[in-house]
Amino acid sequence: QFQLVESGGGLVQPGGSLRLSCVLSGVRMVYYSMGWFRQVPGKEREGISCISSSDSTVYADSVKGRFTISRDNTKNMVYLQMNSLNPVGSAVYSCTARRWEYCSGLAPRNLGSWGQGTQVTVST
């Protein structure tokens, strides 16, 4: 059993940046692929990024070139640097962990278990 706790969300103006963090506790992250999805009330979850245990990354087209996922296995942390945010990016962002070295696409069912999430609001 493990736990995921996200932080770093908040209010940001369009064009701004945020860095989300997530700590995985209870297991060694080195054996897990890690990811992020986001969800807006009333809509389906959207997988946006995944990083494998060997640091291979996958991004959704909607965030490619603007978001960067990274991990620090020594700290059991995964990060999501989000640049050039726009109001469409307003959502609850949740990090995910799967006991599988590789990323198997961005469908939320393939990203694994998730935390409670952190709210990101992009607005003036």
Side-chain angles (χ1 to χ4, degrees), residues 23-38:
V23 59
L24 173 65
S25 60
V27 295
R28 289 188 62 193
M29 197 175 77
V30 66
Y31 301 115
Y32 288 73
S33 58
M34 304 295 294
W36 291 89
F37 67 74
R38 62 189 179 188

Side-chain angles (χ1 to χ4, degrees), residues 14-15 17 22 28 43 50 54 65 74 79 83 86 91 96 112 117 120 122:
S17 298
C22 174
R28 289 188 62 193
K43 294 190 176 181
C50 181
S54 60
T74 65
Y79 306 98
N83 299 328
N86 56 60
T96 65
V120 172
V122 185

Side-chain angles (χ1 to χ4, degrees), residues 13-96:
Q13 292 189 342
S17 298
L18 276 178
R19 188 194 194 205
L20 305 183
S21 301
C22 174
V23 59
L24 173 65
S25 60
V27 295
R28 289 188 62 193
M29 197 175 77
V30 66
Y31 301 115
Y32 288 73
S33 58
M34 304 295 294
W36 291 89
F37 67 74
R38 62 189 179 188
Q39 188 169 24
V40 176
K43 294 190 176 181
E44 293 186 357
R45 293 179 185 138
E46 178 191 11
I48 56 176
S49 188
C50 181
I51 184 167
S52 73
S53 61
S54 60
D55 288 346
S56 295
T57 57
V58 183
Y59 295 97
D61 288 344
S62 59
V63 306
K64 198 173 294 183
R66 299 185 298 117
F67 289 13
T68 303
I69 190 171
S70 61
R71 62 191 290 159
D72 185 340
N73 290 337
T74 65
K75 298 180 179 178
N76 262 28
M77 296 286 293
V78 63
Y79 306 98
L80 187 68
Q81 177 67 42
M82 306 186 295
N83 299 328
S84 302
L85 284 162
N86 56 60
V88 174
S90 296
V92 174
Y93 286 72
S94 298
C95 71
T96 65

